[in-house]
Amino acid sequence: GENVEQHPSTLSVQEGDSAVIKCTYSDSASNYFPWYKQELGKRPQLIIDIRSNVGEKKDQRIAVTLNKTAKHFSLHITETQPEDSAVYFCAASRGSGTYKYIFGTGTRLKVLA
Amino acid sequence: DADVTQTPRNRITKTGKRIMLECSQTKGHDRMYWYRQDPGLGLRLIYYSFDVKDINKGEISDGYSVSRQAQAKFSLSLESAIPNQTALYFCATSGAGGTEAFFGQGTRLTVV
């Protein structure tokens, strides 16, 4: 069945450094790839997404890259700040029909001051 | 603001009891989902529904059932709760065509 693998499970970086989280998906029909941030005790919220017709998307300090051939997509956070500390989830979904969201297992990011 | 609301927010129940978690949304979305979150296991899909007459099993549906009472309401039931169903449960909704999923605040369920 469909599967999304996410690595690493935990990541610690110094404030100001960059963080990269990687995901691999199995369903070749997936064409929508969102990233969610979950702060402690809160609900997951979308921070950025990318569709399969785009290779890269950037929004201020965060960016997502997609390699459809390899079925890989990655989240890049530059100039990390303490408020970036959270759990991040990737997901994959088909854009039409009876699609559903399949989430990765999450990455706990700690930004050390 | 349009939102996704889950009730209750916290619940402690005994093994063998039936319990229902409720989700309602004012976003006007057709698609609704129930996920379970456990540490290290991410968000696992229990059931999903694309409209009132449509119910689909997710990857971990055993021991759970759902009811889509209306476009805006999607309930999750544990027929006979067991301790390994202790988890954080999230309801989510989305529009059509591969769009953002919006989550409820979550229900923390403890089965003792």
Side-chain angles (χ1 to χ4, degrees):
Chain A
E2 302 103 327
N3 185 47
V4 176
E5 295 187 359
Q6 182 172 348
H7 300 281
S9 57
T10 61
L11 179 60
S12 294
V13 299
Q14 290 292 327
E15 182 177 359
D17 287 350
S18 295
V20 181
I21 303 170
K22 299 182 178 181
C23 288
T24 304
Y25 61 97
S26 62
D27 182 5
S28 57
S30 296
N31 58 10
Y32 175 64
F33 307 94
W35 285 89
Y36 287 80
K37 177 182 181 182
Q38 185 181 26
E39 297 178 348
L40 189 63
K42 302 283 185 67
R43 69 185 90 181
Q45 292 191 300
L46 181 76
I47 54 171
I48 194 167
D49 56 13
I50 192 168
R51 299 184 188 277
S52 58
N53 58 345
V54 175
E56 183 174 358
K57 183 177 179 180
K58 189 173 181 180
D59 183 3
Q60 298 183 334
R61 295 187 297 108
I62 59 173
V64 57
T65 59
L66 172 65
N67 182 331
K68 281 213 73 178
T69 302
K71 296 190 221 173
H72 290 168
F73 58 113
S74 300
L75 177 71
H76 304 254
I77 306 174
T78 59
E79 301 174 17
T80 53
Q81 301 169 4
E83 53 265 36
D84 295 328
S85 295
V87 178
Y88 292 82
F89 292 99
C90 62
S93 169
R94 299 181 183 188
S96 62
T98 56
Y99 69 90
K100 56 184 184 286
Y101 290 94
I102 302 296
F103 284 86
T105 50
T107 296
R108 181 173 298 279
L109 174 65
K110 297 180 183 178
V111 179
L112 307 172
Chain B
D1 284 342
D3 204 0
V4 182
T5 302
Q6 291 182 232
T7 55
R9 295 291 310 279
N10 291 280
R11 180 73 182 266
I12 299 173
T13 192
K14 293 183 178 180
T15 298
K17 293 291 187 182
R18 183 180 189 275
I19 182 169
M20 179 182 290
L21 310 183
E22 299 187 345
C23 177
S24 63
Q25 52 112 349
T26 56
K27 289 195 168 292
H29 289 161
D30 288 328
R31 299 165 191 245
M32 299 188 74
Y33 313 82
W34 275 104
Y35 288 94
R36 168 177 171 161
Q37 184 175 20
D38 299 277
L41 296 177
L43 292 158
R44 293 185 291 167
L45 185 61
I46 307 172
Y47 273 95
Y48 58 107
S49 169
F50 292 148
D51 64 40
V52 174
K53 298 180 181 180
D54 176 75
I55 299 290
N56 304 279
K57 291 183 177 180
E59 54 186 313
I60 55 163
S61 59
D62 287 349
Y64 301 94
S65 63
V66 291
S67 173
R68 185 81 184 266
Q69 302 97 320
Q71 188 217 27
K73 294 183 182 296
F74 192 38
S75 300
L76 176 71
S77 293
L78 286 67
E79 298 301 325
S80 179
I82 57 177
N84 77 358
Q85 291 177 313
T86 293
L88 181 57
Y89 291 85
F90 282 103
C91 173
T93 73
S94 73
T99 56
E100 178 180 358
F102 293 87
F103 286 83
Q105 317 97 308
T107 295
R108 186 165 297 280
L109 176 66
T110 303
V111 183
V112 297

